[in-house]
Amino acid sequence: MIGKPISRVDGPEKVTGQAKYAAEFNVPDLTYGVVVSSTITKGTITRIDTSKALALDGVLEVFTHKNRPKTAWFDMSYKDQDSPPGSPFRPLHNDQVKYNGQPIALVVAETFEVARYAATLVEIDYDPEPCETDLLKHLHEARDPKSGVANLFKPLPPKPRGDSAAAYANAPVSMSARYIHGMQHHNPMEMFATTVEYGRNGHLTIYDKTQGATNSQLYVTQAFNLSFDQVRVISPYVGGGFGSGLRPQYQLFLAVMAARALERSVRVSLTRQQMWSFGHRPATVQNIRLAANADGTLAAVEHEAIAETSQFEDYTETVVNWTGKLYDCANSTLSYKVKSLDMYSPLDMRAPGGVTGVHAIECAIDELAYNAGIDPLDFRFKNYSEKDWTEKDKPFSSKELRACFTQGAERFGWSNRTPEPRSMRRGHTLIGWGMATGIWDANQVPARAEAVLTVNGKLRVSSATADIGTGTYTIMTQIAAELLGMPLENVIFRLGDTDMPLAPIQGGSWTAATVGSAVKVTCEALAKKLFKLARKMPGSPLASADFTDVFFANSHIRLRRDPSVAVPLQAIVDQNGGRAISETGTSLPNMLKQKDYSRSAHAAAFVEVEVDEDFGTVVVTRAVSAVAAGRILNPKTARSQIIGGMVWGISSALQEESVMDHRYGRYMNQNLAEYHIPVCADVRDLDVIFVEEVDDIVNPLGVKGVGEVGLVAMPAAIANAVFHATGKRIHDLPIQLDRLL
Ligand code: MOS
């Protein structure tokens, strides 16, 4: 079962509309909350008049900072599973506005329509203050970020080594450039929503849009001083996340606050526009200087990044360390700084830091290769790193990036490329071919799972993880089916419920490794338990067998040397008095094994663009991604992950950006009409290769995760292709047509 291109087991439920999302769970006697958002960016609320809203028939309450319940407050030490250092945003805390779109009131009514209308009747006066939101204006004020637990998985740069400035000055070939990335917002299809069912004795059953039910539970218990058994969070389906659900969002807080105050069930749904009111990929400015010796080996590497954060938290992401992992140069300086601005804290967004940092370094490498007169692919072979200087020169647990380069180039036809810019055409369009490297972490964290052989002889496995569209349901079903030798249709995997064994947020491309390992150890334990019971059955044909003598296939335990000698799993349940048989298991990363290695997935992207010479429009006509991500559990769902990443690469390179009017600190394109992302017509021929990579260090399954690595190489490959087509180096993304003309 493992390694087969199984179609999504949750597909039928999703396409037939049976899969329920957070705002679709209907509970009796439900009320509806609508959020009123701040129209200023910074200042004080001087008056808030809710009387007109309250006078409407059906309005139950309007919560503001003036009348919110006292319990709706949490102290500065509060953390969620993705908290950066600082003090998390507290909705309705006081009269201070810290960012544009900040929730400042919640109207709760018997119907959604009344609540929405009443929200327009809330009158607010502000005493506004000047706001600062433009990173480019404040680069000189950038400072070192505070480091926190989040940096365990998002390391800050290592100390410089060698003398990069001197090496740069003395080398025969060099390049220097500044790269600017704008802000982006996640915009999954499903809007953020929470339905709180207010139960007996105030017990809360919460249907939340989240990438981790356990994280939402942690948040609610801390914010409202509740015990874990008073709060159950359920989130079986997520209509996309991309990182936006890694932290509990304010609709969860407001829905729980209102439900407790009114002792009623409450649903709060945010609008598409309100997607711009929490969390974003931060704007970054990067400076790179590279130098090479005459033979094309790197002589100096300098990569500096400055990113924005909020006034209340130091959000960080890993932007520059990728450079040190990919290029092992004796004279290297990496640096990362932040600047606090009047905005909400940035938030991890698919391949956070990687998509910006690797874009910059991989464009810079392309430019240096051109300056050295060396093919960009040859240049990368020449400067291939065998160890990771950002992690104390550790070797990689596995790194089949060479195979990615070779197989990707072969499939793409890279050898047919003529190197001179503007040398390839098709009619009135310029053709450009570009390539770049991708890299992403291969992490594993602790998780638990439960496996049950049911009274009907079926296997039910569960873990409180999430499936944000990644294929988790499917691959976990495959792992469980494989280990207990059962047909897929007899295996059911469940997730997204805090009553299930503990699992962390789904993020960082770690779920396949993390929850997959938990499912593996748990199913192995169940297999042993079943074998013991089978051996003890009266007249058991396996009575004298050892565990190593048997295997599990077709819902039987069979003897290896004679598979016809077998005990059906159903017979074991029957013998157990018709009671289900269960095991729970925990998987922890094997630190002893992992600690001496740097662990990453790698990729190479090859891209063809067509640039219209008259209009400056760019189309990615075809792209090949070759990916080395350890064992591929399901080539079909894995391919979908890589394709999704590649499409986002097209988006990042050519289309996507949240544009802010810095005079007001307000986004100008808070809708999907003006926040451009690729449509089907923008997505042409995308091809994915998984190169073989064996890794028995990363985790017991040998998987590295594919959620993010498919995106990382694409923006640079596209920008490099645009250079090859046009001769223009556009360093800032997105490359919209006005930048090309
Ligand atoms: Mo991903 S940004 O770790 O959801």
Side-chain angles (χ1 to χ4, degrees):
M1 291 301 168
I2 294 179
K4 288 200 177 142
I6 307 291
S7 293
R8 281 165 196 269
V9 296
D10 50 329
E13 276 191 301
K14 283 186 170 172
V15 299
T16 57
Q18 293 175 73
K20 278 196 178 162
Y21 296 83
E24 296 181 324
F25 286 90
N26 287 321
V27 301
D29 208 21
L30 185 61
T31 67
Y32 299 82
V34 167
V35 174
V36 179
S37 308
S38 166
T39 55
I40 67 159
T41 299
K42 189 178 181 182
T44 306
I45 301 167
T46 52
R47 186 184 70 102
I48 188 155
D49 184 351
T50 58
S51 57
K52 285 193 185 124
L54 283 167
L56 270 192
D57 230 18
V59 171
L60 296 164
E61 184 58 280
V62 181
F63 295 95
T64 71
H65 66 278
K66 292 166 97 170
N67 69 342
R68 61 156 171 82
K70 287 255 182 307
T71 49
W73 201 89
F74 40 99
D75 70 36
M76 311 288 271
S77 66
Y78 163 80
K79 293 286 169 215
D80 65 61
Q81 290 177 30
D82 197 28
S83 293
S87 167
F89 171 69
R90 284 163 288 172
L92 310 188
H93 180 210
N94 57 25
D95 60 359
Q96 292 302 301
V97 176
K98 294 178 173 176
Y99 71 99
N100 207 298
Q102 175 177 319
I104 51 176
L106 179 77
V107 179
V108 185
E110 295 287 356
T111 69
F112 171 67
E113 289 76 10
V114 167
R116 188 171 54 176
Y117 176 54
T120 67
L121 302 179
V122 177
E123 293 175 6
I124 304 143
D125 290 337
Y126 305 96
D127 181 9
E129 292 166 41
C131 62
E132 297 296 342
T133 55
D134 190 352
L135 179 65
L136 288 173
K137 274 195 190 160
H138 295 275
L139 294 175
H140 56 286
E141 295 157 14
R143 58 172 171 83
D144 289 331
K146 290 182 209 116
S147 177
V149 181
N151 296 109
L152 216 55
F153 298 106
K154 296 193 270 186
L156 296 169
K159 289 197 170 57
R161 70 170 180 191
D163 186 344
S164 57
Y168 179 84
N170 297 325
V173 187
S174 64
M175 65 71 61
S176 159
R178 181 164 98 154
Y179 301 83
I180 301 174
H181 292 86
M183 305 178 222
Q184 296 181 348
H185 284 81
H186 308 72
N187 277 297
M189 278 197 291
E190 182 198 8
M191 297 292 85
F192 274 72
T194 304
T195 304
V196 178
E197 184 172 9
Y198 190 83
R200 204 175 307 177
N201 302 324
H203 181 273
L204 304 175
T205 305
I206 301 172
Y207 303 94
D208 191 33
K209 155 103 189 192
T210 176
Q211 288 176 235
T214 57
N215 200 28
S216 296
Q217 186 192 37
L218 184 71
Y219 175 93
V220 170
T221 53
Q222 289 184 75
F224 296 94
N225 194 25
L226 298 170
S227 66
F228 281 92
D229 58 11
Q230 287 172 288
V231 179
R232 179 181 178 191
V233 178
I234 297 174
S235 176
Y237 293 101
V238 185
F242 316 118
S244 59
L246 288 174
R247 300 192 69 189
Q249 301 303 357
Y250 63 78
Q251 92 288 339
L252 171 63
F253 180 90
L254 294 175
V256 171
M257 177 200 71
R260 283 170 48 80
L262 300 171
E263 302 190 356
R264 294 277 304 268
S265 296
V266 179
R267 171 181 303 153
V268 178
S269 313
L270 302 186
T271 62
R272 178 60 66 187
Q273 283 69 31
Q274 285 166 336
M275 273 308 308
W276 276 262
S277 63
F278 60 88
H280 66 285
R281 193 194 293 288
T284 52
V285 175
Q286 298 176 65
N287 296 311
I288 295 188
R289 294 203 307 174
L290 301 178
N293 301 311
D295 66 352
T297 53
L298 277 165
V301 172
E302 293 183 351
H303 187 176
E304 141 187 299
I306 298 171
E308 65 199 11
T309 187
S310 66
Q311 302 287 5
F312 43 95
E313 288 173 314
D314 267 15
Y315 171 82
T316 64
E317 51 189 18
T318 300
V319 178
V320 296
N321 291 33
W322 312 109
T323 293
K325 288 176 188 289
L326 289 174
Y327 301 104
D328 182 16
C329 176
N331 301 297
S332 296
T333 304
L334 305 179
S335 108
Y336 175 79
K337 294 196 181 323
V338 295
K339 165 65 189 158
S340 295
L341 296 168
D342 298 314
M343 56 178 53
Y344 196 88
S345 303
L347 176 59
D348 292 332
M349 184 163 169
R350 203 173 190 178
V355 68
T356 44
V358 176
H359 163 254
I361 185 62
E362 285 297 283
C363 286
I365 289 286
D366 196 79
E367 196 168 335
L368 187 67
Y370 263 89
N371 292 352
I374 299 173
D375 175 89
L377 181 56
D378 293 341
F379 190 92
R380 286 173 174 86
F381 277 119
K382 213 178 258 288
N383 289 287
Y384 193 88
S385 67
E386 300 292 358
K387 55 185 171 51
D388 178 357
W389 85 266
T390 72
E391 289 189 39
K392 301 186 176 113
D393 286 329
K394 290 176 189 171
F396 297 97
S397 62
S398 59
K399 180 180 175 180
E400 295 295 342
L401 177 58
R402 269 196 196 88
C404 295
F405 286 149
T406 310
Q407 292 179 34
E410 170 74 25
R411 178 81 60 91
F412 184 83
W414 185 257
S415 60
N416 297 320
R417 179 179 184 265
T418 54
E420 299 75 29
R422 303 180 77 90
S423 62
M424 294 166 70
R425 307 186 147 258
R426 198 177 288 145
H428 71 289
T429 62
L430 297 162
I431 304 294
W433 288 3
M435 59 86 52
T437 316
I439 179 168
W440 194 252
D441 302 318
N443 282 321
Q444 182 200 355
V445 291
R448 291 170 54 71
E450 182 185 40
V452 181
L453 186 64
T454 69
V455 291
N456 304 319
K458 299 198 176 195
L459 179 61
R460 195 178 65 229
V461 182
S462 60
S463 176
T465 182
D467 185 338
I468 61 175
T470 45
T472 307
Y473 275 110
T474 311
I475 58 173
M476 296 308 152
T477 305
Q478 287 175 262
I479 295 169
E482 166 111 5
L483 287 164
L484 284 173
M486 293 177 71
L488 274 185
E489 58 271 21
N490 285 352
V491 180
I492 182 155
F493 180 75
R494 284 282 165 234
L495 55 73
D497 185 338
T498 52
D499 278 1
M500 295 170 181
L502 197 68
I505 40 177
Q506 174 161 78
S509 296
W510 68 30
T511 304
T514 295
V515 181
S517 297
V519 168
K520 183 171 188 279
V521 300
T522 306
C523 287
E524 283 168 350
L526 181 63
K528 284 199 177 131
K529 190 181 232 180
L530 294 175
F531 171 69
K532 271 190 198 155
L533 290 168
R535 214 167 47 169
K536 281 197 216 129
M537 284 167 60
S540 172
L542 304 176
S544 58
D546 282 331
F547 189 67
T548 50
D549 299 332
V550 301
F551 68 103
F552 287 69
N554 310 99
S555 301
H556 286 68
I557 307 179
R558 297 178 184 277
L559 211 52
R560 282 189 195 279
R561 58 182 157 74
D562 181 2
S564 69
V565 177
V567 172
L569 297 182
Q570 181 68 59
I572 306 173
V573 186
D574 295 344
Q575 184 63 32
N576 194 41
R579 289 188 309 269
I581 302 160
S582 72
E583 264 295 345
T584 52
T586 305
S587 72
L588 302 168
N590 186 340
M591 306 294 242
L592 224 58
K593 217 168 164 181
Q594 293 175 354
K595 71 173 174 37
D596 297 329
Y597 297 91
S598 172
R599 293 163 288 127
S600 296
H602 294 87
F606 295 82
V607 167
E608 176 184 278
V609 298
E610 273 185 12
V611 182
D612 187 297
E613 226 183 337
D614 300 320
F615 297 117
T617 46
V618 181
V619 176
V620 175
T621 42
R622 63 191 182 94
V624 176
S625 280
V627 179
R631 188 181 191 187
I632 299 303
L633 297 172
N634 180 331
K636 191 172 188 176
T637 53
R639 179 179 175 277
S640 292
Q641 284 293 92
I642 299 300
I643 296 269
M646 291 169 79
V647 171
W648 204 327
I650 296 171
S651 194
S652 270
L654 301 177
Q655 301 190 9
E656 184 170 354
E657 183 176 18
S658 288
V659 184
M660 186 176 262
D661 185 333
H662 292 297
R663 291 173 301 172
Y664 308 111
R666 193 167 174 85
Y667 295 106
M668 296 190 288
N669 57 341
Q670 304 184 65
N671 57 73
L672 289 182
E674 293 164 294
Y675 184 83
H676 289 179
I677 55 171
V679 297
C680 291
D682 299 315
V683 179
R684 307 284 174 93
D685 179 8
L686 303 182
D687 199 359
V688 180
I689 299 169
F690 289 111
V691 310
E692 195 158 316
E693 186 173 70
V694 177
D695 193 325
D696 57 13
I697 291 157
V698 277
N699 54 66
L701 286 163
V703 303
K704 287 183 173 176
V706 288
E708 289 161 301
V709 70
L711 163 56
V712 179
M714 282 293 284
I718 294 169
N720 293 339
V722 168
F723 167 74
H724 182 232
T726 64
K728 286 189 183 177
R729 288 273 175 208
I730 312 294
H731 296 126
D732 306 342
L733 297 188
I735 304 171
Q736 285 157 342
L737 49 86
D738 55 333
R739 286 179 165 150
L740 266 179
L741 284 174

